[in-house]
Amino acid sequence: MDSSNSPTTNHHRLISKGKGKAVPFATTGSPSRSSAHTEIPDPVFLLGLPALLLHPPDHPNHVPSLRASLDALNQCISMHSSLGGNGSGALSFEQEMQAYGMQAEIGLKVVSAGFSGHDGPEWARGIESEIEDAIGQGTRLCQQIAALRPFRSRFSILRAHLQLLQNQIKACRAMLKREINTLNAADSSSTVYTCYFTYIHALLSSTPSQSPDYSGALSTLQKVQSIALSRGDKQITTLALATRLQVLMRAELWELVGETCESVEEALGLTFEEGEGQRDTQQTDQSVSVIPPTESQESTSSSSAIDPTPLFLCMKIHVLMLSILYHTRISNSKLASARLSALHDLLDSDALENFPSGVLPVTLTAGPPFQLNVTHPRVLYELAFLVSGVCKRDVVGRKPKRKIFVKEGLGVCEEVEKLVTMSMLGSIRDMEKVEERLNKIRADG
């Protein structure tokens, strides 16, 4: 749901849970009992080191962990090559592909942090060429080995992220479009959705010489909805609809925003009455009587009660904020106030605790989960007070409500711990973006 970070987008990785950490491009689990005391070959040992060394970007040892992980992977690939490929003590084809994928992913974190320039540390200079080489070697393996072909798209996505970091927007869009055209039934749902949302992120990205392609993004979202409907992935269908609302507002296509806003609210089970607005029945106290729903509302609310997933709650927060701004813009204060009350009820229910690091695993009907980067909860928390101030625009009187909301929001934000919790899959640049957004919110307040 994050336009700069993709609902659009942005990062999907093969994840294995080991030692409590998320490991990019991990494949196998722990060894069996019979092989527990077997000596581990050096390349395999080095391949497993990044899972133990890497720290999240908010950790003081994050940068040293990046360097140590890259050194381990470089040594792993070098030893594998010296042993003559798939021989004694060397990596299997799957492990070799994993090594190239991890090398590219960690390298992208170094590039996004701005360390690859001439003024960066010596160990990080020239790392972009190493990333391109790792992506090329991984792609070659996926093309040569039939069992690895489903992973080819993952390397294309890594190449797309590198091109976005290099501001090669046009090349990135063309490459992802070709990749989407090669997808087939053998590709997992997570791979398909990752390719499409990365492409949407590229279409919405811009440079001084390249404008966002809103029309292309909207048509691509329509395709995602069709694919999700055919595969039975209801969460992705709703995500595409919510992202469409975001794109329409960014493109200022206000004549289409109202209808889309109603559709996505209905899909999320958000029902409001004509004047005051009925709060979502999930967030109201059980002892409070509510108005009996109609047949269509009953089916929507029942499906919502069955599926209160973290993504579902995250989309509710985003859509309510966008809806508040839209109804404020068209001067419908009653509808805006009703949605503002629902938003604060949702935030008071600790909905933000469902995605504390800004990364959501979306469960699909088949295959591995789809990893989605969303707006960091700390940003949403502070943004809610700013949205409240915008909604309450009566700036006259002894105690104007806008001033009250903004003043209270700034006071609460100062009390909250300043440390921003980041995901293991995040980067220094992701953390900097969060801080930049927080500073802009406080400045606007």
Side-chain angles (χ1 to χ4, degrees):
M1 292 287 300
D2 190 350
S3 60
S4 63
N5 210 13
S6 150
T8 77
T9 90
N10 209 340
H11 304 323
H12 178 74
R13 296 170 171 83
L14 300 177
I15 293 180
S16 171
K17 294 180 180 178
K19 303 294 184 181
K21 295 183 178 181
V23 185
F25 271 92
T27 53
T28 57
S30 58
S32 61
R33 288 179 179 269
S34 60
S35 61
H37 300 289
T38 303
E39 183 178 352
I40 301 176
D42 290 344
V44 178
F45 173 76
L46 291 168
L47 179 62
L49 278 182
L52 303 173
L53 296 174
L54 281 176
H55 292 287
D58 54 324
H59 195 280
N61 291 327
H62 175 67
V63 175
S65 73
L66 292 179
R67 180 179 181 181
S69 298
L70 284 175
D71 288 342
L73 290 171
N74 289 333
Q75 186 68 15
C76 168
I77 295 172
S78 176
M79 292 183 67
H80 169 71
S81 301
S82 65
L83 291 172
N86 197 22
S88 175
L91 303 173
S92 65
F93 289 122
E94 187 177 9
Q95 289 172 329
E96 184 181 0
M97 178 207 68
Q98 181 185 352
Y100 288 128
M102 294 174 67
Q103 186 182 34
E105 284 194 334
I106 297 174
L108 285 173
K109 294 183 181 183
V110 175
V111 175
S112 66
F115 295 154
S116 60
H118 296 292
D119 55 346
E122 186 176 353
W123 61 270
R125 296 173 190 170
I127 197 171
E128 293 184 20
S129 60
E130 294 181 13
I131 296 172
E132 292 176 353
D133 183 63
I135 293 173
Q137 294 290 349
T139 303
R140 176 187 58 80
L141 275 176
C142 293
Q143 292 172 342
Q144 291 178 351
I145 311 301
L148 301 181
R149 285 174 187 169
F151 300 101
R152 179 182 51 82
S153 296
R154 311 301 170 90
F155 286 96
S156 297
I157 292 169
L158 291 175
R159 189 184 301 277
H161 288 311
L162 178 61
Q163 290 174 336
L164 288 174
L165 289 173
Q166 296 172 334
N167 288 328
Q168 299 178 13
I169 306 295
K170 187 175 182 180
C172 178
R173 293 175 181 175
M175 188 271 295
L176 286 172
K177 188 174 183 179
R178 291 194 302 269
E179 186 62 33
I180 287 175
N181 292 333
T182 64
L183 295 173
N184 52 54
D187 293 302
S188 65
S189 296
S190 60
T191 299
V192 173
Y193 296 140
T194 301
C195 287
Y196 271 99
F197 277 108
T198 305
Y199 181 48
I200 293 169
H201 175 55
L203 291 172
L204 295 176
S205 301
S206 62
T207 62
S209 60
Q210 194 76 39
S211 302
D213 185 359
Y214 296 118
S215 177
L218 292 172
S219 61
T220 305
L221 283 169
Q222 190 66 41
K223 293 179 182 178
V224 173
Q225 278 187 274
S226 301
I227 294 172
L229 282 171
S230 64
R231 301 195 179 201
D233 294 318
K234 181 182 176 182
Q235 290 193 94
I236 303 298
T237 304
T238 310
L239 174 63
L241 188 59
T243 307
R244 172 181 169 81
L245 175 62
Q246 182 186 29
V247 174
L248 289 174
M249 294 189 71
R250 283 186 59 179
E252 298 184 359
L253 298 174
W254 301 109
E255 66 276 6
L256 301 175
V257 170
E259 181 181 356
T260 304
C261 194
E262 292 179 4
S263 300
V264 70
E265 284 180 346
E266 182 180 358
L268 291 171
L270 293 167
T271 55
F272 299 94
E273 294 221 351
E274 287 263 339
E276 304 169 355
Q278 175 187 346
R279 295 185 183 181
D280 186 0
T281 55
Q282 287 190 74
Q283 305 300 330
T284 56
D285 188 20
Q286 296 296 326
S287 61
V288 180
S289 60
V290 295
I291 300 174
T294 62
E295 184 178 350
S296 61
Q297 291 174 343
E298 189 173 15
S299 61
T300 303
S301 60
S302 63
S303 63
S304 301
I306 295 173
D307 190 27
T309 62
L311 177 60
F312 182 87
L313 296 173
C314 179
M315 286 191 290
K316 270 191 170 184
I317 296 173
H318 281 82
V319 169
L320 282 172
M321 287 186 177
L322 294 174
S323 183
I324 290 168
L325 295 177
Y326 168 68
H327 286 99
T328 300
R329 185 182 186 277
I330 62 175
S331 301
N332 195 328
S333 59
K334 289 185 178 180
L335 292 181
S337 297
R339 285 155 177 79
L340 183 62
S341 297
L343 174 63
H344 282 283
D345 287 346
L346 194 58
L347 294 176
D348 291 341
S349 67
D350 297 328
L352 294 176
E353 294 182 2
N354 289 275
F355 47 101
S357 62
V359 177
L360 279 174
V362 183
T363 304
L364 306 175
T365 55
F370 167 59
Q371 299 293 326
L372 179 70
N373 280 11
V374 297
T375 307
H376 197 278
R378 179 67 183 277
V379 175
L380 291 175
Y381 181 76
E382 298 198 15
L383 185 60
F385 291 99
L386 181 60
V387 171
S388 302
V390 172
C391 179
K392 303 296 183 181
R393 295 187 298 177
D394 50 337
V395 295
V396 297
R398 297 181 64 182
K399 286 189 176 182
K401 292 183 179 179
R402 178 175 180 175
K403 181 179 180 180
I404 294 174
F405 273 102
V406 173
K407 187 176 180 179
E408 287 297 321
L410 291 174
V412 171
C413 295
E414 290 178 358
E415 296 175 2
V416 176
E417 187 178 2
K418 294 184 178 180
L419 181 63
V420 176
T421 303
M422 299 297 296
S423 165
M424 182 68 69
L425 301 179
S427 65
I428 292 178
R429 182 54 189 154
D430 294 332
M431 187 172 63
E432 290 175 347
K433 286 182 179 179
V434 172
E435 295 293 345
E436 288 173 4
R437 291 180 176 182
L438 292 175
N439 290 333
K440 288 181 180 179
I441 291 172
R442 292 162 187 164
D444 289 340

